[in-house]
Amino acid sequence: MKIAVIPIDNRPICYDLISDTLAIDNDIQLFLPELKDLGGLTTQSNVERLFAFVENLDNDVDYLIVSLDTVAYGGLVSSRRCSDSLNEIKNRIEKFKELASKKAKKILAFSSIMRISNNNINEEEKEYWAQWGKRIFDWSYYLHKTEVEQTYNCVHNTIPSEILNDYLDTRKRNFEINKIYLKWAKEGFFDTLILSKDDCAQFGLNVKEALEFENIIEKQNIKNAKIKTGADEIPLSLISRALSYNHEIKINPIFIEEKSINKISKYEDISIKNCALAQMELAGLKLDINNPDLSLLINNFEFEQGDLVLGDKINFTKEKINFPNNSYFIADVNNANGADNEFINQLLKQNIDNYFGYCGYNTSANTLGCTIFVAIVKFLAIKNNSYNHEAFLKIQLIRFLDDWAYQAISRKFVRESAPEFKKALLEKETELNNYAQKICEFLDYYPNKITYSLPWNRSFEIRILVN
């Protein structure tokens, strides 16, 4: 099978994870652009080089998985920042359409509905977000809330008109581009199109736009387009969907906190139950609680999801976990932005014979999409006699080191050492290696060398290379 992917950007979770996971199946031939051609935190993707990548693909590629934000704006972050006009972007995506239509049997794509972050951090936004971001969020939230509930809007707008107009112009431009994608989906250019709600709340202009897109999809009967909560995991979920097209893979989701399945995770607008079901549906999986191929063990929160970045609430597993007897994989969402330490301590005492993967990355949707991706690749590789066990162990070592050892334990020190992030990471290398030893014993996997770096020179993303 030949799969080509245009990732969101050059982050390890968007680039390395794809190649490391698909290496689990020896029969998959993967085509990726060069890392240097993808955008970063402050740089845009080299779109001309990406066009050359598409043009040079074999003509018999089975699936092209594409982040449309990368093609249109130069990346997910750049989609909120770049000043290119609507016509410039329309010309760019039309060129991509012409090239891609000749190369792949099926094209699965996603585009983000521009997020509204609830803070004054402009790291991934325009410069004015540092002063006006929280007020823009509040204005957007209550504007939509009062429309829905038909109540009085108590927020007084103090945002300068030139800033608010620039923000709204960017939103409108991206909204119009997404409408073009829906038109292409109706025409059949996309096998699957996902418009994603990134870092969502219950109300806001982004939520309002999502409802407008849902109305378009329903009225025009565009069956191959969907609205989903999430972002970084969606290319992974689309690869899972492509892989599972000709297979019925039955999954039984098991929630550790069964009574809390209707609670909503941080950074999302749907319950953890609906998040899990939506990620399964997007990946092409079938719900089956009686005779599943795999069980999905979800370490969900009892009352409120913790957050290892904000640190105002951190959850720990309190009771002994009953791990499934059949083949299973794990989504650890007790906390956002990292693992549940007590849960990991119990997991590392288990036997890995029927174990198909773990993830505890960032948001609940991110975690679910990631762990489903790894599990599906392993399941199908075993079924097709093309399984590479060492590649599976490698990706598991990286996930535990990232989601547990770094995000849940070492990252706090690195984050609080700003701006000396790289120096702080170097100080934590011995600690990370000590946790690596514990993980290696659990996996019975002992690589020669592990290296750590911060590709975006901030604490959030860590690149872990295993030799």
Side-chain angles (χ1 to χ4, degrees):
M1 181 184 293
K2 294 181 178 180
I3 298 176
V5 182
I6 297 178
I8 296 172
D9 50 45
N10 62 17
R11 283 172 294 163
I13 202 73
C14 300
Y15 191 88
D16 302 12
L17 178 62
I18 292 172
S19 57
D20 288 342
T21 300
L22 290 181
I24 295 170
D25 191 328
N26 291 324
D27 283 350
I28 293 177
Q29 188 175 356
L30 173 65
F31 300 90
L32 276 174
E34 292 189 44
L35 185 64
K36 64 182 177 63
D37 292 332
L38 293 169
L41 179 59
T42 58
T43 59
Q44 293 185 10
S45 297
N46 186 328
V47 177
E48 290 303 317
R49 290 281 299 163
L50 295 180
F51 287 162
F53 164 76
V54 175
E55 198 165 15
N56 291 329
L57 286 173
D58 295 346
N59 290 331
D60 60 345
V61 169
D62 295 290
Y63 302 104
L64 171 60
I65 315 295
V66 57
S67 165
L68 294 167
D69 291 330
T70 304
V71 174
Y73 314 105
L76 180 62
V77 173
S78 186
S79 71
R80 310 168 202 136
R81 284 178 165 175
C82 86
S83 58
D84 295 351
S85 69
L86 176 63
N87 283 335
E88 286 175 311
I89 294 168
K90 284 171 66 175
N91 291 336
R92 193 175 298 144
I93 62 175
E94 288 286 354
K95 182 176 179 180
F96 165 77
K97 183 185 181 187
E98 180 184 358
L99 291 171
S101 61
K102 303 172 185 176
K103 293 296 179 178
K105 297 174 185 175
K106 292 183 185 294
I107 299 172
L108 293 80
F110 102 96
S111 176
S112 65
I113 299 169
M114 196 172 97
R115 78 173 190 180
I116 313 177
S117 58
N118 185 14
N119 54 54
N120 283 342
I121 300 172
N122 67 349
E123 196 173 51
E124 297 185 15
E125 317 295 334
K126 291 188 177 182
E127 289 300 318
Y128 53 69
W129 212 263
Q131 183 175 356
W132 300 102
K134 183 67 170 65
R135 296 191 191 188
I136 292 172
F137 175 90
D138 289 341
W139 174 82
S140 163
Y141 182 94
Y142 287 103
L143 181 69
H144 182 218
K145 186 176 190 291
T146 53
E147 286 180 9
V148 172
E149 298 180 349
Q150 297 183 339
T151 55
Y152 175 69
N153 186 354
C154 60
V155 175
H156 176 63
N157 177 33
T158 59
I159 306 163
S161 59
E162 65 272 16
I163 289 175
L164 188 58
N165 289 338
D166 177 82
Y167 174 73
L168 292 175
D169 286 345
T170 304
R171 288 211 70 90
K172 180 173 174 55
R173 178 199 67 185
N174 291 13
F175 181 82
E176 293 300 321
I177 292 296
N178 280 336
K179 284 172 64 177
I180 292 173
Y181 295 146
L182 286 175
K183 179 174 176 288
W184 291 0
K186 187 176 181 180
E187 294 169 353
F189 175 67
F190 299 117
D191 178 83
T192 302
L193 171 67
I194 302 300
L195 300 182
S196 73
K197 296 181 285 184
D198 180 18
D199 285 356
C200 237
Q202 187 177 3
F203 299 103
L205 292 180
N206 51 344
V207 180
K208 182 179 178 180
E209 287 176 9
L211 292 171
E212 292 182 54
F213 290 133
E214 285 178 353
N215 287 334
I216 293 173
I217 290 168
E218 183 178 354
K219 287 180 180 179
Q220 299 187 19
N221 195 27
I222 308 175
K223 295 182 179 179
N224 55 342
K226 304 175 187 294
I227 309 296
K228 295 290 185 185
T229 297
D232 293 350
E233 83 288 348
I234 290 180
L236 312 179
S237 301
L238 290 176
I239 300 173
S240 300
R241 185 179 185 87
L243 293 174
S244 63
Y245 267 133
N246 299 316
H247 304 273
E248 184 181 79
I249 306 174
K250 298 173 291 185
I251 305 295
N252 176 26
I254 301 171
F255 295 86
I256 289 177
E257 296 291 348
E258 181 65 31
K259 295 179 181 178
S260 301
I261 59 175
N262 292 316
K263 293 189 178 296
I264 297 176
S265 305
K266 293 183 185 298
Y267 313 106
E268 298 188 359
D269 62 343
I270 57 176
S271 70
I272 185 60
K273 174 188 175 182
N274 288 337
C275 181
L277 294 177
Q279 290 296 328
M280 287 170 52
E281 188 273 336
L282 179 55
L285 309 179
K286 181 180 178 182
L287 176 68
D288 190 331
I289 62 175
N290 297 314
N291 187 33
D293 296 303
L294 299 169
S295 290
L296 167 54
L297 183 64
I298 301 171
N299 181 31
N300 58 313
F301 42 97
E302 183 179 5
F303 301 109
E304 178 188 354
Q305 189 178 38
D307 192 327
L308 296 177
V309 170
L310 299 179
D312 54 350
K313 180 178 177 60
I314 299 174
N315 294 327
F316 297 99
T317 294
K318 303 177 186 68
E319 298 177 0
K320 187 177 185 298
I321 303 300
N322 292 318
F323 289 88
N325 294 320
N326 68 320
S327 297
Y328 70 97
F329 60 108
I330 297 165
D332 186 357
V333 297
N334 201 7
N335 299 297
N337 293 301
D340 171 351
N341 193 54
E342 295 303 320
F343 179 86
I344 295 293
N345 287 332
Q346 291 192 45
L347 174 59
L348 294 186
K349 297 174 183 176
Q350 305 303 305
N351 188 300
I352 70 165
D353 289 346
N354 60 342
Y355 165 80
F356 276 66
Y358 167 90
C359 186
Y361 168 72
N362 205 12
T363 67
S364 293
N366 292 159
T367 287
L368 283 156
C370 173
T371 195
I372 287 172
F373 175 46
V374 175
I376 294 313
V377 174
K378 177 176 177 177
F379 176 80
L380 291 174
I382 291 173
K383 185 176 181 179
N384 297 328
N385 295 315
S386 54
Y387 175 53
N388 184 330
H389 186 55
E390 184 173 342
F392 173 73
L393 296 178
K394 174 184 174 181
I395 192 65
Q396 289 310 290
L397 173 58
I398 293 171
R399 289 269 50 83
F400 280 118
L401 278 172
D402 189 336
D403 304 344
W404 177 45
Y406 179 70
Q407 301 291 349
I409 299 167
S410 300
R411 182 185 172 192
K412 185 175 186 293
F413 174 81
V414 175
R415 181 165 54 91
E416 292 175 352
S417 300
E420 299 294 329
F421 296 118
K422 293 183 179 180
K423 181 181 176 182
L425 178 63
L426 199 60
E427 291 182 42
K428 284 293 179 179
E429 193 165 306
T430 298
E431 179 179 71
L432 288 169
N433 285 334
N434 288 338
Y435 282 102
Q437 183 63 32
K438 294 180 181 180
I439 300 163
C440 288
E441 290 172 2
F442 167 66
L443 297 171
D444 193 22
Y445 173 64
Y446 300 94
N448 293 325
K449 188 178 181 182
I450 304 172
T451 58
Y452 312 93
S453 62
L454 300 172
W456 280 16
N457 194 29
R458 63 181 189 179
S459 69
F460 186 47
E461 301 87 7
I462 185 170
R463 171 162 276 126
I464 301 169
L465 298 178
V466 176
N467 184 347

